[in-house]
Amino acid sequence: MERLQFDSNSRVIVMTGAGASAESGVPTFRDANGLWEGNKVEDVASPYGFMEDPQKVWNFYSQRRANVMMCDPNTGHLALAELERQLGDRFLLVTQNVDDLHERAGSKRVAKVHGNLFRNKCSQHTTCPYVADDHGLYFDTVPKCPVCGADARPEIVWFGERLQLSVTDMFYSFCARAQMDAQKLYYVAVGTSGAVYPVASFVYHANTMGAESHLVNLEQGEHANDFHSFHKGKAGEILPRLFFGS
Ligand code: OAD
């Protein structure tokens, strides 16, 4: 595999999915029967599911918090933090992952498009502004919003919900800036099945903006055809070689 030769005119976006955290021990999402750790997706990852059974949803996310707290960043996360140190503001990390492994590896600027596992917000968030960091585990009780008393919920973007515009804007304006500054744009997606939109469509936008696009993934699904190059393998092994040659 050839190392990507970034120079002072390069602008690089890396977008990570669940596969980037797999080697750290965080399970990916899509298994053959479409269940998430034995739960139906719509029961634990939709506003409707939360309305029906908030305790079930908190059990699921408390278990995920507990799992992630026992995991450590892997060599893929570390390579991305190093690339940010080298490229500075010519680098953008976008992640679909809600864990904190990029941050713990040293990445400073992380656009978390699907939210943050370690933050809560108010279930009445359209009218109540409450958002706070939280590492609590809630297996027996549903936490309450300290501002309005409604149920608090994880700050995760669930199915049927919009992505935060301020976060997706970081991606679009980063691409636009490459054109304004006549820089060479790279788009590298890592460990994602490309099943969830709109993030799966970021590669189309990047290609339209003239990016050279790469996918690093364990398996070559249909999504791989959207990229100029496909690198088959584990993120923790491929990323250090792709960025630094070792
Ligand atoms: P998926 O579980 O759909 O896909 C993970 C991909 O990573 C698969 O294609 C695997 O082959 C690949 N993979 C597994 N281990 C890998 C490794 N060590 N190195 C490289 N690739 C590996 O996960 P996402 O595409 O991230 O949203 O799923 C997108 C969204 O679906 C998630 O963010 C989640 C879910 O709905 C929310 O929770 C809001």
Side-chain angles (χ1 to χ4, degrees), residues 178-236:
Q179 256 187 356
M180 282 188 296
D181 292 355
Q183 288 169 325
K184 180 165 169 63
L185 185 63
Y186 292 83
Y187 181 76
V188 183
V190 181
T192 181
S193 59
V196 174
Y197 284 75
V199 178
S201 68
F202 281 6
V203 61
Y204 308 137
H205 182 76
N207 286 345
T208 308
M209 298 298 276
E212 180 181 307
S213 54
H214 295 260
L215 175 65
V216 175
N217 214 57
L218 204 51
E219 52 196 12
Q220 184 167 10
E222 261 183 38
H223 190 45
N225 299 328
D226 301 330
F227 294 79
H228 297 118
S229 303
F230 172 65
H231 310 274
K232 187 176 172 62
K234 293 183 175 175

Side-chain angles (χ1 to χ4, degrees), residues 12-14 28 47 52 62 112 154 162 214 222:
V12 181
I13 304 170
V14 177
T28 57
E52 286 288 295
S62 297
K112 295 177 93 71
R162 280 168 185 269
H214 295 260
E222 261 183 38

